[in-house]
Amino acid sequence: MTDQSKTAKLACIQVEAMLCFDLYSTHHAVGQVYKPLLAPLGVTYPQYLVLTVLWASDNLTVGAIGERLYLESSTLTPLIKRLEGQGLVKRKRDREDERKVRVKLTKAGDAMRADVQHIPTCLTEAFGVPMPELMGVHETLGKIRAALKKQAEAEARGDA
Amino acid sequence: MTDQSKTAKLACIQVEAMLCFDLYSTHHAVGQVYKPLLAPLGVTYPQYLVLTVLWASDNLTVGAIGERLYLESSTLTPLIKRLEGQGLVKRKRDREDERKVRVKLTKAGDAMRADVQHIPTCLTEAFGVPMPELMGVHETLGKIRAALKKQAEAEARGDA
DNA sequence: CACGACTTAATCGTATGCAATAGAAGGATG
DNA sequence: CATCCTTCTATTGCATACGATTAAGTCGTG
């Protein structure tokens, strides 16, 4: 192995370790900040994400919610049932297509929108980083995500 | 509410939604790329992280591993037991302090180091973004993480 | 030395998360 | 209109992940 390829490999190891772990642990840290903000409302962060999707566009199917959040029905079905158990949403088979299940906010679920108004501001302030820098990260993460998805699909096809 | 504060609130909602979800979904996408790379070795991504820590510094206690990965003993104990079940590590009570459990790589666990050499390069290439840009994200995420931790601690103290 | 405070790992209960599979419903094709 | 194929949700089994608690060991202080 040449010195140059050694250096390149070392750089890769460091970047992989750094960035993957950055994502892993920053994601984790975000969850820790959300937890006490959401606890008074009795919902978890993934449940809050589902509600956020519904606040933007109500009466979606399970599949449509999953598309937006990159989650499978095996994750969403029990999660949504818990939301239903708390009286925040209602599940109903679609009349037109009985395979689909439509998830609709209840009055309580819709009203909770008002109880979370402070959260986005809390988070953005908690980031402690000026807006333009956040935008830069947003942009790069978008590119990375697109590239990773392509990679995952390539591997799934077998041409690793 | 003034027009200005309305605009500020909207910006916060968008930034919160964007960035938290960026982290959520990019983290998810990373996992999807690792999965087929690690599957032939029979380990999961969190298990790989534990092995990576041990490859860098063997014979650590459960607590020391948790510190590095931000994981609790309730997560690590069963995970490490699974690694032990696969013959990759060995758990042993510390002679000096019987409260501690030391985790040590077996020959097989140490040998696996060679089987993962290609992975960092795969990941770095899969990111599809030039190195300097990755460094920028690394830096900003570090700042965000530090700020979020401070925020989480403040909330834990009750001064929300 | 005894006793309480602290540390450490393990356990328990709950909630994600995924892959694989099942099962019901819709659609296409002959 | 019967059969196959696809679509969509639900179920199952496994692996994280955390908070709260427990249990065992260590240490400091009176």
Side-chain angles (χ1 to χ4, degrees):
Chain A
M1 193 185 286
T2 65
D3 278 2
Q4 195 183 1
S5 75
K6 263 190 212 161
T7 306
K9 177 169 284 186
L10 185 59
C12 285
I13 290 172
Q14 289 175 343
V15 169
E16 178 235 14
M18 278 191 320
L19 260 188
C20 295
F21 194 68
D22 281 338
L23 292 166
Y24 185 84
S25 62
T26 311
H27 172 252
H28 178 268
V30 165
Q32 293 302 101
V33 173
Y34 269 112
K35 196 167 298 181
L37 293 172
L38 293 173
L41 307 173
V43 297
T44 65
Y45 180 52
Q47 289 169 7
Y48 167 73
L49 287 179
V50 168
L51 291 174
T52 301
V53 166
L54 292 175
W55 288 326
S57 170
D58 199 5
N59 206 37
L60 292 173
T61 65
V62 172
I65 297 171
E67 249 175 59
R68 284 164 175 74
L69 298 178
Y70 304 106
L71 293 175
E72 309 294 321
S73 73
S74 45
T75 301
L76 282 175
T77 296
L79 189 159
I80 293 170
K81 282 184 178 174
R82 277 185 284 273
L83 286 177
E84 189 176 33
Q86 296 175 55
L88 298 173
V89 304
K90 200 76 192 164
R91 285 154 15 98
K92 217 184 71 181
R93 287 279 163 189
D94 189 321
R95 286 284 169 80
E96 312 272 320
D97 184 343
E98 292 277 341
R99 290 172 305 181
K100 297 178 183 171
V101 167
R102 298 228 164 246
V103 183
K104 205 170 178 323
L105 290 163
T106 61
K107 274 219 178 72
D110 190 68
M112 187 177 279
R113 203 194 303 242
D115 302 330
V116 301
Q117 296 239 330
H118 62 295
I119 292 183
T121 311
C122 289
L123 259 290
T124 308
E125 281 169 6
F127 285 148
V129 166
M131 197 77 85
E133 196 171 340
L134 294 180
M135 294 301 181
V137 172
H138 168 63
E139 199 177 319
T140 303
L141 287 184
K143 283 196 275 186
I144 289 176
R145 205 160 52 240
L148 288 178
K149 275 188 212 306
K150 227 162 63 179
Q151 177 68 21
E153 283 163 15
E155 278 165 355
R157 279 199 313 275
D159 45 43
Chain B
M1 193 185 285
T2 65
D3 279 1
Q4 195 184 1
S5 75
K6 262 189 213 160
T7 306
K9 177 169 286 185
L10 185 58
C12 286
I13 290 173
Q14 289 175 344
V15 170
E16 178 235 13
M18 279 191 321
L19 260 187
C20 295
F21 193 68
D22 281 336
L23 292 167
Y24 184 85
S25 61
T26 311
H27 171 252
H28 176 268
V30 166
Q32 294 302 102
V33 173
Y34 270 113
K35 194 167 301 180
L37 292 172
L38 293 173
L41 307 173
V43 297
T44 65
Y45 180 52
Q47 290 168 5
Y48 168 73
L49 287 179
V50 169
L51 291 174
T52 301
V53 166
L54 292 174
W55 287 326
S57 170
D58 200 3
N59 206 36
L60 292 172
T61 66
V62 172
I65 296 170
E67 249 175 58
R68 285 165 174 72
L69 299 179
Y70 305 106
L71 293 175
E72 309 295 321
S73 72
S74 44
T75 301
L76 282 175
T77 296
L79 189 157
I80 293 170
K81 282 185 179 173
R82 277 187 284 273
L83 286 177
E84 189 175 33
Q86 296 175 56
L88 298 173
V89 304
K90 199 78 193 161
R91 286 152 15 96
K92 217 183 70 181
R93 287 277 164 192
D94 189 320
R95 286 282 170 83
E96 311 273 318
D97 184 342
E98 290 277 341
R99 292 171 303 182
K100 298 179 182 170
V101 167
R102 298 226 165 250
V103 183
K104 205 169 179 326
L105 290 163
T106 61
K107 273 218 178 70
D110 191 68
M112 188 177 278
R113 204 195 302 243
D115 302 329
V116 301
Q117 295 238 330
H118 62 295
I119 293 183
T121 311
C122 288
L123 259 290
T124 308
E125 281 169 5
F127 284 148
V129 166
M131 198 76 87
E133 196 170 341
L134 294 180
M135 294 301 182
V137 172
H138 169 61
E139 199 177 319
T140 303
L141 287 183
K143 283 196 276 185
I144 290 176
R145 205 160 52 240
L148 288 177
K149 275 189 212 306
K150 226 163 65 179
Q151 176 69 20
E153 283 162 16
E155 277 164 357
R157 279 199 314 274
D159 44 44

Short mmCIF file of all heavy atoms in Angstrom, two decimals, chain B residues 75-87 89 91, chain C residues 9-11:
data_model
loop_
_atom_site.label_atom_id
_atom_site.label_comp_id
_atom_site.label_asym_id
_atom_site.label_seq_id
_atom_site.Cartn_x
_atom_site.Cartn_y
_atom_site.Cartn_z
N THR B 75 -29.14 -0.35 27.73
CA THR B 75 -29.02 -0.66 26.31
C THR B 75 -27.81 -1.55 26.06
O THR B 75 -27.86 -2.52 25.30
CB THR B 75 -28.84 0.63 25.49
OG1 THR B 75 -29.97 1.46 25.71
CG2 THR B 75 -28.71 0.33 24.01
N LEU B 76 -26.71 -1.23 26.73
CA LEU B 76 -25.44 -1.91 26.45
C LEU B 76 -25.39 -3.34 26.97
O LEU B 76 -24.87 -4.23 26.28
CB LEU B 76 -24.28 -1.11 27.03
CG LEU B 76 -23.88 0.11 26.22
CD1 LEU B 76 -22.81 0.91 26.94
CD2 LEU B 76 -23.40 -0.30 24.83
N THR B 77 -25.92 -3.57 28.16
CA THR B 77 -25.80 -4.90 28.74
C THR B 77 -26.34 -5.99 27.80
O THR B 77 -25.60 -6.93 27.48
CB THR B 77 -26.48 -4.96 30.12
OG1 THR B 77 -25.79 -4.08 31.00
CG2 THR B 77 -26.46 -6.35 30.69
N PRO B 78 -27.59 -5.88 27.34
CA PRO B 78 -28.05 -6.93 26.43
C PRO B 78 -27.29 -6.95 25.10
O PRO B 78 -27.03 -8.03 24.56
CB PRO B 78 -29.53 -6.60 26.21
CG PRO B 78 -29.75 -5.24 26.76
CD PRO B 78 -28.64 -4.91 27.67
N LEU B 79 -26.92 -5.77 24.60
CA LEU B 79 -26.19 -5.71 23.33
C LEU B 79 -24.85 -6.44 23.46
O LEU B 79 -24.48 -7.26 22.60
CB LEU B 79 -25.97 -4.24 22.95
CG LEU B 79 -25.42 -3.92 21.57
CD1 LEU B 79 -25.79 -2.49 21.17
CD2 LEU B 79 -23.92 -4.07 21.51
N ILE B 80 -24.13 -6.17 24.52
CA ILE B 80 -22.82 -6.80 24.72
C ILE B 80 -22.98 -8.30 24.96
O ILE B 80 -22.16 -9.10 24.52
CB ILE B 80 -22.08 -6.12 25.89
CG1 ILE B 80 -21.72 -4.69 25.50
CG2 ILE B 80 -20.81 -6.89 26.25
CD1 ILE B 80 -21.21 -3.84 26.64
N LYS B 81 -24.07 -8.68 25.62
CA LYS B 81 -24.31 -10.11 25.80
C LYS B 81 -24.52 -10.82 24.47
O LYS B 81 -24.11 -11.95 24.28
CB LYS B 81 -25.52 -10.34 26.72
CG LYS B 81 -25.21 -10.13 28.19
CD LYS B 81 -26.42 -10.47 29.05
CE LYS B 81 -26.07 -10.29 30.54
NZ LYS B 81 -27.28 -10.46 31.40
N ARG B 82 -25.15 -10.09 23.53
CA ARG B 82 -25.32 -10.68 22.20
C ARG B 82 -23.97 -10.81 21.50
O ARG B 82 -23.70 -11.82 20.85
CB ARG B 82 -26.28 -9.83 21.36
CG ARG B 82 -27.75 -10.15 21.64
CD ARG B 82 -28.69 -9.43 20.69
NE ARG B 82 -28.86 -8.02 21.04
CZ ARG B 82 -29.75 -7.57 21.91
NH1 ARG B 82 -30.56 -8.40 22.53
NH2 ARG B 82 -29.85 -6.29 22.17
N LEU B 83 -23.12 -9.79 21.66
CA LEU B 83 -21.77 -9.89 21.09
C LEU B 83 -21.02 -11.06 21.71
O LEU B 83 -20.26 -11.76 21.02
CB LEU B 83 -21.00 -8.57 21.32
CG LEU B 83 -21.41 -7.38 20.47
CD1 LEU B 83 -20.60 -6.14 20.87
CD2 LEU B 83 -21.24 -7.66 18.98
N GLU B 84 -21.22 -11.26 23.01
CA GLU B 84 -20.55 -12.38 23.69
C GLU B 84 -21.10 -13.70 23.16
O GLU B 84 -20.34 -14.65 22.94
CB GLU B 84 -20.78 -12.28 25.20
CG GLU B 84 -19.94 -13.27 25.99
CD GLU B 84 -20.09 -13.09 27.49
OE1 GLU B 84 -21.20 -12.72 27.93
OE2 GLU B 84 -19.11 -13.32 28.22
N GLY B 85 -22.42 -13.73 22.91
CA GLY B 85 -23.04 -14.92 22.37
C GLY B 85 -22.47 -15.29 21.01
O GLY B 85 -22.42 -16.47 20.63
N GLN B 86 -22.02 -14.28 20.26
CA GLN B 86 -21.43 -14.53 18.95
C GLN B 86 -19.92 -14.78 19.06
O GLN B 86 -19.25 -14.94 18.03
CB GLN B 86 -21.67 -13.33 18.03
CG GLN B 86 -23.13 -13.08 17.72
CD GLN B 86 -23.32 -11.82 16.91
OE1 GLN B 86 -22.75 -11.65 15.84
NE2 GLN B 86 -24.12 -10.90 17.43
N GLY B 87 -19.41 -14.78 20.28
CA GLY B 87 -17.99 -15.08 20.46
C GLY B 87 -17.06 -13.96 20.06
O GLY B 87 -15.88 -14.18 19.80
N VAL B 89 -16.73 -10.93 21.93
CA VAL B 89 -16.15 -10.31 23.13
C VAL B 89 -16.34 -11.25 24.32
O VAL B 89 -17.09 -12.23 24.24
CB VAL B 89 -16.80 -8.95 23.46
CG1 VAL B 89 -16.71 -7.99 22.29
CG2 VAL B 89 -18.24 -9.13 23.91
N ARG B 91 -16.99 -10.96 28.62
CA ARG B 91 -17.26 -10.10 29.76
C ARG B 91 -16.65 -10.72 31.02
O ARG B 91 -16.76 -11.92 31.24
CB ARG B 91 -18.77 -9.95 29.97
CG ARG B 91 -19.45 -9.04 28.95
CD ARG B 91 -20.93 -9.37 28.69
NE ARG B 91 -21.52 -10.22 29.67
CZ ARG B 91 -22.23 -9.79 30.72
NH1 ARG B 91 -22.46 -8.51 30.87
NH2 ARG B 91 -22.73 -10.65 31.58
P DA C 9 -19.89 -0.40 34.73
OP1 DA C 9 -18.68 -1.03 34.14
OP2 DA C 9 -20.42 0.84 34.15
"O5'" DA C 9 -21.03 -1.49 34.80
"C5'" DA C 9 -20.74 -2.69 35.50
"C4'" DA C 9 -21.98 -3.51 35.75
"O4'" DA C 9 -22.91 -2.78 36.58
"C3'" DA C 9 -22.76 -3.95 34.51
"O3'" DA C 9 -22.84 -5.36 34.56
"C2'" DA C 9 -24.13 -3.28 34.65
"C1'" DA C 9 -24.23 -2.99 36.13
N9 DA C 9 -24.96 -1.79 36.51
C8 DA C 9 -24.71 -0.50 36.13
N7 DA C 9 -25.52 0.39 36.66
C5 DA C 9 -26.35 -0.37 37.46
C6 DA C 9 -27.44 -0.01 38.29
N6 DA C 9 -27.86 1.24 38.45
N1 DA C 9 -28.07 -1.03 38.94
C2 DA C 9 -27.63 -2.29 38.77
N3 DA C 9 -26.63 -2.73 38.02
C4 DA C 9 -26.03 -1.71 37.38
P DA C 10 -23.66 -6.18 33.38
OP1 DA C 10 -23.03 -7.52 33.29
OP2 DA C 10 -23.77 -5.34 32.18
"O5'" DA C 10 -25.10 -6.35 34.02
"C5'" DA C 10 -25.23 -7.07 35.24
"C4'" DA C 10 -26.68 -7.09 35.68
"O4'" DA C 10 -27.08 -5.76 36.04
"C3'" DA C 10 -27.67 -7.57 34.61
"O3'" DA C 10 -28.49 -8.57 35.19
"C2'" DA C 10 -28.46 -6.31 34.25
"C1'" DA C 10 -28.37 -5.49 35.52
N9 DA C 10 -28.45 -4.05 35.35
C8 DA C 10 -27.65 -3.26 34.55
N7 DA C 10 -27.94 -1.98 34.60
C5 DA C 10 -29.00 -1.91 35.47
C6 DA C 10 -29.77 -0.83 35.95
N6 DA C 10 -29.56 0.43 35.59
N1 DA C 10 -30.77 -1.12 36.83
C2 DA C 10 -30.96 -2.39 37.19
N3 DA C 10 -30.31 -3.49 36.81
C4 DA C 10 -29.34 -3.18 35.95
P DT C 11 -29.59 -9.34 34.29
OP1 DT C 11 -29.64 -10.72 34.80
OP2 DT C 11 -29.34 -9.07 32.86
"O5'" DT C 11 -30.95 -8.63 34.69
"C5'" DT C 11 -31.28 -8.47 36.06
"C4'" DT C 11 -32.61 -7.75 36.21
"O4'" DT C 11 -32.41 -6.32 36.04
"C3'" DT C 11 -33.67 -8.15 35.19
"O3'" DT C 11 -34.89 -8.38 35.90
"C2'" DT C 11 -33.78 -6.94 34.27
"C1'" DT C 11 -33.44 -5.81 35.22
N1 DT C 11 -32.87 -4.57 34.60
C2 DT C 11 -33.40 -3.35 34.96
O2 DT C 11 -34.32 -3.24 35.74
N3 DT C 11 -32.80 -2.28 34.34
C4 DT C 11 -31.75 -2.29 33.44
O4 DT C 11 -31.31 -1.26 32.98
C5 DT C 11 -31.25 -3.60 33.12
C7 DT C 11 -30.11 -3.72 32.17
C6 DT C 11 -31.83 -4.66 33.71
#
